[in-house]
Amino acid sequence: MARTEEEWNIAINEKVLKVLHDTDSAPPSTSITQPSNPLFPLTIDHALLKPDAAPAKIDVLCDEAIRYGFRSCCVNGVHVKQVADRLQGSSVIPCAVIGFPLGASTTAVKVFEARDAISNGAREIDMVISIGALKSQSYSTVFDDIHAVASQACKSFSESTQAIPLKVILETVFLSDSEKIAGAFIAAEAGASFVKTCTGFSGGGATKEDVELLYRTMRYKNGEVKVKASAGIRSFEKCKEMLSAGAERIGTSSGAAIMQNVRAVSGTY
């Protein structure tokens, strides 16, 4: 919904007050208590986003995702076609990041990047929010940025009647609680399918408290907009904590280690 800046300020102030006072709304308990639960792999976006990711490592990522039955393989745009080809015939979804990891591209570039990724086979898009605009309370700018990607790229995909799911990365490590609520609310209003915690490239990572806050913020959407926890998730126990806090998707580069119920090495995200 397009709003004036004044209307955004009023709506966000109301949302912040409501969410911060709504501390009794706990997410439903998760049935996933072991990595062997067949539902667990379907929560995992298996990621390789490092700048030194070579094609051979991308193939390994895809093969691991197929072996364990993960929800998606999440990669930078340059690798999308390779991933789509490698995953062909499997149930694993090719996913691309855009505006990554800073969120500082222009809207036109983000739209082009999303369209390009989709044309190369991406079937989910994870975009980084305009962090500076959010922190400066330029709410219309944040809305327009997300809405353009949602409407001009994800919803205009012509081979299906369904839009490509758009996950909006808030980069919560830079935000106050009020800013997290504002960013998530704007993303939902702009057409996001998920609100997501972090890129994993700015220090810190997903926390139980942030996931719970985003879950409460999205309650008004009645399940239409979900929460993805990402960054610093390297063990099954951490995954379970995020799922118990309200996340429905987990972004991690440690999927294979987690499925083996071992803690991943330092340096993964």
Side-chain angles (χ1 to χ4, degrees), residues 195-207:
V195 290
K196 176 178 170 182
T197 54
C198 307
T199 64
F201 285 74
S202 297
T207 68

Side-chain angles (χ1 to χ4, degrees), residues 1 48 62 121-122 135 171 194 228 239 266:
M1 177 188 297
L48 180 52
C62 293
K135 290 192 71 66
E171 202 66 303
F194 283 81
K228 176 176 173 178
C239 290
S266 177

Side-chain angles (χ1 to χ4, degrees), residues 11 18 38 44 46 54 73 83 86 98 115 121 162 171 182 196 210 216 235 241 262:
K18 183 174 182 180
I44 299 293
H46 196 35
C73 276
V83 167
R86 191 83 171 185
I98 67 166
R115 285 177 172 171
Q162 276 193 318
E171 202 66 303
K196 176 178 170 182
D210 282 347
R216 295 202 310 272
S235 69
E241 181 182 56
V262 298

Side-chain angles (χ1 to χ4, degrees), residues 213-234:
L213 186 70
L214 297 180
Y215 173 82
R216 295 202 310 272
T217 304
M218 291 299 99
R219 284 190 69 223
Y220 83 104
K221 282 294 187 177
N222 297 315
E224 290 182 13
V225 183
K226 301 174 174 62
V227 178
K228 176 176 173 178
S230 187
I233 303 172
R234 305 184 184 96

Side-chain angles (χ1 to χ4, degrees), residues 16-242:
V16 168
L17 286 172
K18 183 174 182 180
V19 172
L20 291 180
H21 285 86
D22 181 24
T23 56
D24 296 327
S25 300
S29 58
T30 179
S31 63
I32 299 172
T33 58
Q34 297 293 332
S36 57
N37 187 310
L39 296 176
F40 176 60
L42 296 175
T43 69
I44 299 293
D45 286 347
H46 196 35
L48 180 52
L49 299 167
K50 290 187 175 181
D52 62 348
K57 291 183 179 180
I58 297 295
D59 281 344
V60 170
L61 181 84
C62 293
D63 294 345
E64 288 174 342
I66 293 169
R67 181 184 314 135
Y68 293 112
F70 293 143
R71 176 72 70 175
S72 82
C73 276
C74 189
V75 295
N76 287 294
V78 69
H79 301 299
V80 169
K81 189 176 187 309
Q82 178 187 349
V83 167
D85 290 344
R86 191 83 171 185
L87 296 178
Q88 193 167 9
S90 78
S91 62
V92 185
I93 300 167
C95 173
V97 294
I98 67 166
F100 194 89
L102 302 178
S105 307
T106 64
T107 298
V109 168
K110 289 181 180 178
V111 170
F112 176 85
E113 197 176 357
R115 285 177 172 171
D116 184 66
I118 292 166
S119 72
N120 283 320
R123 292 301 173 262
E124 290 188 346
I125 296 293
D126 287 29
M127 74 168 283
V128 184
I129 202 167
S130 181
I131 303 164
L134 177 61
K135 290 192 71 66
S136 63
Q137 299 183 3
S138 298
Y139 298 136
S140 293
T141 299
V142 177
F143 175 87
D144 291 344
D145 190 52
I146 299 167
H147 186 260
V149 174
S151 61
Q152 298 176 35
C154 295
K155 290 183 181 177
S156 62
F157 177 55
S158 60
E159 293 181 19
S160 170
T161 56
Q162 276 193 318
I164 300 291
L166 175 63
K167 309 187 204 101
V168 175
I169 307 169
L170 303 177
E171 202 66 303
T172 50
V173 294
F174 291 126
L175 307 178
S176 68
D177 283 354
S178 295
E179 289 167 341
K180 294 165 193 172
I181 294 166
F185 175 59
I186 294 169
E189 296 291 285
S193 300
F194 283 81
V195 290
K196 176 178 170 182
T197 54
C198 307
T199 64
F201 285 74
S202 297
T207 68
K208 176 183 177 181
E209 292 76 18
D210 282 347
V211 171
E212 288 176 342
L213 186 70
L214 297 180
Y215 173 82
R216 295 202 310 272
T217 304
M218 291 299 99
R219 284 190 69 223
Y220 83 104
K221 282 294 187 177
N222 297 315
E224 290 182 13
V225 183
K226 301 174 174 62
V227 178
K228 176 176 173 178
S230 187
I233 303 172
R234 305 184 184 96
S235 69
F236 176 73
E237 287 306 311
K238 186 71 171 181
C239 290
K240 188 165 68 170
E241 181 182 56
M242 297 297 105

